[in-house]
Amino acid sequence: MDRRENKRSRMEKKDSRRMFIVSLYSLVLLFPAAQLAAAADYYSRADFPADFVFGSGTTAYQYEGAAFQDGRTPSIWDTFAHSGHASGANGDVTCDGYHKYKGDVKLMKDTGLEAFRLSISWSRLIPNGRGPVNPKGLQFYNNLIDELISHGIRPHVTLHHFDLPQALEDEYGGWLSRKIVKDFTAYAKVCFREFGDRVSFWTTVNEGNVFALGGYSQGVVPPGRCSPSIKTGCLGNSSTEPYIVGHNILLAHSATWRLYRKKYKATQKGYVGFNIYTWGIVPYTNAKEDVLATQRAYDFFIGWLIDPLIFGNYPETVKQRVQGRLPVFTKYESEKIKGSLDFIGVNHYTSILVKDDPSIHDIDKWAFSSDLSAKLILANTGDTPSDQYPMVPSGLYQLLEYLKQVYGNPPIYVHENGQKMRRNGTLIDTPRVEYFRGYIGSMLDAVKNGSNTKGYFAWTFLDCLELLDGYGSSYGFYYVDLDDKDLTRYPKLSAHWYSNFLQGKSTT
């Protein structure tokens, strides 16, 4: 009886996904211009629920600087950046938030932010990855959190944002080893113990899917591993390592969530969630092959890491295609991991079209592409400059609808959403204003349609180091003059727009 019920449950989940994907084609229909604008053209802050939170964010390595000060040791991002990636740029100084945070928090207050998403540098807090806590690192994060709270800004904290301590990478391979589960949980325990009386929202790992794929299949993000066929001199195995890393990430997250539930939830009353990178994902045509390819894309990009946290195991599509290269959860692990999250954080910037392509079979070059057997085509709105994201607000609506229908409408936080522009010093970033107006409006449509979306964090507050292209592009509300020894901050048009919105003014 149990076996039949499990099979029926799997079929129902599969059917609900397929029906949703079929509906996407008619909903978005290759992103015609008439559908690019959000339905909620005119809205204000008051149109959102009272407990909905708006903010912005940054991360430790991209913002803090002071990379070699006060006991901080290198992370894998330091090593990656100093190896010449991201246009040779690094986070040694960047915005110097380590010294300038008080002025930045005042800017946040003046802008009207209700919350701020930050990450903790593990190697600043615990320089060796395990063992003694660095007093100066502890003091910095206490001071930063206190400064935010004193200005009425709620801190949302991420524990790992592409910056594992290099010491653990050197010792046992970092996320490739099960040893990371114990060390990550111990690190999280320090954070819960020291900051949990003031921090209520915790995210374990940022963009777990991108970290595993970009860091261990393509070699484009820290720690920069991949098969030698991807890049000359690259070390790794693109056909197996991403899945091993993803598996260990899930085990570490689950252990951390259970730790919080057992020791801290009753007194701190906080929440622990997980973050993934997401596109709006739409079939290239309504042909059956493209619809099925789109379902695979959902399963591999979202279901791969979210299904285990909701249902206790990987999607059937992923298991069938990856087979022996995909680690297996024991029955005990499956029971422990199932339901082990309080919210899903999504980073979303634009949308893709998915076209079936069974000719992709070079498993040694990029296993994920081979397993997916589909071409991913960036949405093209026809008039988007090449240095900006195609603006497809309906993609965010569609994503939130998918998460609602497939995963039982869990709490969602849009952790990152923003428009990149070429970093040229301009303060008149009109495309960014148009982008925010469209995407926030689309999110409002989803909320009105029942999505349990709880918050929105615009990426990013200040122009800072970017993961893929260093200082070549900007996402910030505030321009930071890197040629000025004081790193002066200047508000852009988008900062004024967001501030007006947060103050309750209409978006018209």
Side-chain angles (χ1 to χ4, degrees):
M1 186 68 176
D2 289 342
R3 187 175 300 171
R4 290 197 299 271
E5 289 178 353
N6 288 337
K7 182 177 181 180
R8 185 184 305 114
S9 176
R10 290 197 301 269
M11 292 298 295
E12 288 173 352
K13 284 188 287 185
K14 187 174 182 179
D15 289 343
S16 68
R17 295 183 196 210
R18 185 173 297 160
M19 291 174 62
F20 180 87
I21 292 164
V22 169
S23 71
L24 287 183
Y25 187 80
S26 59
L27 172 67
V28 185
L29 200 58
L30 300 185
F31 310 111
Q35 294 187 10
L36 294 180
D41 291 323
Y42 309 109
Y43 58 88
S44 70
R45 173 68 180 86
D47 291 312
F48 287 84
D51 61 350
F52 196 97
V53 63
F54 279 96
S56 186
T58 192
T59 79
Y61 189 68
Q62 293 172 274
Y63 166 72
E64 289 176 6
F68 309 107
Q69 294 183 28
D70 292 345
R72 183 187 181 274
T73 60
S75 71
I76 58 173
W77 200 339
D78 290 88
T79 303
F80 183 79
H82 281 274
S83 297
H85 298 276
S87 305
N90 61 64
D92 292 358
V93 178
T94 185
C95 301
D96 195 23
Y98 187 75
H99 299 106
K100 295 181 176 295
Y101 70 92
K102 286 188 177 181
D104 291 337
V105 172
K106 185 178 185 304
L107 283 181
M108 296 175 203
K109 176 66 174 178
D110 293 343
T111 305
L113 297 193
E114 301 160 5
F116 188 71
R117 180 173 176 248
L118 63 130
S119 74
I120 289 174
S121 169
W122 186 347
S123 61
R124 189 184 297 282
L125 187 64
I126 307 175
N128 293 323
R130 71 168 76 87
V133 173
N134 175 18
K136 291 188 176 180
L138 178 62
Q139 180 182 23
F140 169 70
Y141 289 113
N142 271 320
N143 290 345
L144 175 56
I145 291 168
D146 288 345
E147 194 73 14
L148 288 166
I149 292 173
S150 70
H151 285 78
I153 301 169
R154 284 172 274 178
H156 286 232
V157 174
T158 299
L159 295 174
H160 182 278
H161 197 117
F162 296 89
D163 58 351
L164 178 78
Q166 185 65 41
L168 299 183
E169 184 77 9
D170 294 340
E171 180 184 341
Y172 55 71
W175 287 100
L176 284 168
S177 170
R178 290 268 183 130
K179 293 180 180 179
I180 192 66
V181 176
K182 181 179 179 181
D183 284 341
F184 184 83
T185 308
Y187 158 57
K189 183 176 181 179
V190 171
C191 293
F192 296 154
R193 183 186 70 218
E194 300 293 342
F195 313 126
D197 58 331
R198 289 152 292 159
V199 176
S200 297
F201 293 90
W202 299 93
T203 301
T204 52
V205 176
N206 179 77
E207 292 184 356
N209 50 356
V210 167
F211 179 66
L213 292 173
Y216 297 85
S217 180
Q218 297 171 290
V220 295
V221 305
R225 294 180 62 85
C226 60
S227 293
S229 56
I230 295 282
K231 292 181 182 179
T232 302
C234 199
L235 299 176
N237 186 328
S238 297
S239 69
T240 59
E241 289 189 2
Y243 297 114
I244 294 170
V245 168
H247 198 77
N248 290 336
I249 285 173
L250 291 171
L251 293 175
H253 164 85
S254 175
T256 299
W257 182 87
R258 296 197 310 272
L259 167 70
Y260 189 85
R261 280 282 168 133
K262 182 178 180 180
K263 291 186 175 293
Y264 300 99
K265 178 75 173 180
T267 55
Q268 297 180 0
K269 305 185 187 307
Y271 306 90
V272 178
F274 187 79
N275 175 281
I276 57 169
Y277 183 91
T278 57
W279 286 299
I281 306 176
V282 180
Y284 187 73
T285 71
N286 64 349
K288 178 181 178 181
E289 292 79 7
D290 289 349
V291 170
L292 292 176
T294 301
Q295 180 180 328
R296 292 198 301 273
Y298 270 108
D299 287 345
F300 272 86
F301 284 106
I302 295 177
W304 169 33
L305 297 184
I306 297 300
D307 269 34
L309 299 178
I310 301 291
F311 305 123
N313 215 329
Y314 293 113
E316 289 299 318
T317 304
V318 175
K319 289 194 288 186
Q320 291 169 7
R321 286 178 167 261
V322 182
Q323 296 187 358
R325 291 175 289 116
L326 184 70
V328 176
F329 295 112
T330 66
K331 182 179 180 181
Y332 175 81
E333 289 170 341
S334 179
E335 291 172 350
K336 290 295 183 181
I337 202 170
K338 182 178 181 180
S340 63
L341 83 172
D342 297 321
F343 63 85
I344 300 173
V346 297
N347 295 356
H348 176 89
Y349 291 90
T350 192
S351 296
I352 57 170
L353 304 172
V354 180
K355 183 174 179 58
D356 181 62
D357 189 351
S359 69
I360 299 176
H361 55 75
D362 190 352
I363 197 168
D364 291 327
K365 185 172 183 181
W366 184 17
F368 201 79
S369 180
S370 175
D371 295 332
L372 187 58
S373 297
K375 288 183 178 178
L376 308 179
I377 305 167
L378 192 65
N380 185 357
T381 60
D383 56 357
T384 305
S386 59
D387 58 351
Q388 296 177 19
Y389 289 121
M391 181 176 161
V392 191
S394 57
L396 178 56
Y397 176 91
Q398 164 251 307
L399 167 69
L400 297 176
E401 279 293 298
Y402 181 85
L403 296 174
K404 180 182 76 174
Q405 294 188 26
V406 173
Y407 296 113
N409 207 15
I412 302 293
Y413 287 85
V414 179
H415 274 160
E416 291 184 23
N417 178 244
Q419 179 63 286
K420 71 173 180 176
M421 297 179 65
R422 186 163 53 88
R423 188 184 181 105
N424 57 12
T426 183
L427 302 180
I428 309 301
D429 57 345
T430 303
R432 185 173 285 115
V433 172
E434 295 172 348
Y435 181 99
F436 283 130
R437 182 185 289 120
Y439 277 83
I440 293 174
S442 187
M443 179 177 63
L444 176 59
D445 289 343
V447 171
K448 288 182 174 180
N449 198 40
S451 170
N452 196 20
T453 305
K454 296 288 191 179
Y456 176 91
F457 294 80
W459 184 262
T460 177
F461 190 66
L462 302 177
D463 285 346
C464 59
L465 175 76
E466 287 299 331
L467 177 62
L468 297 179
D469 63 354
Y471 299 104
S473 63
S474 75
Y475 290 77
F477 286 124
Y478 288 81
Y479 169 70
V480 179
D481 187 351
L482 298 179
D483 296 323
D484 175 3
K485 64 180 179 62
D486 294 323
L487 298 172
T488 306
R489 283 76 156 131
Y490 299 93
K492 302 178 189 176
L493 181 65
S494 58
H496 297 296
W497 181 88
Y498 198 47
S499 180
N500 286 337
F501 166 70
L502 294 176
Q503 292 172 26
K505 297 179 181 179
S506 172
T507 61
T508 56

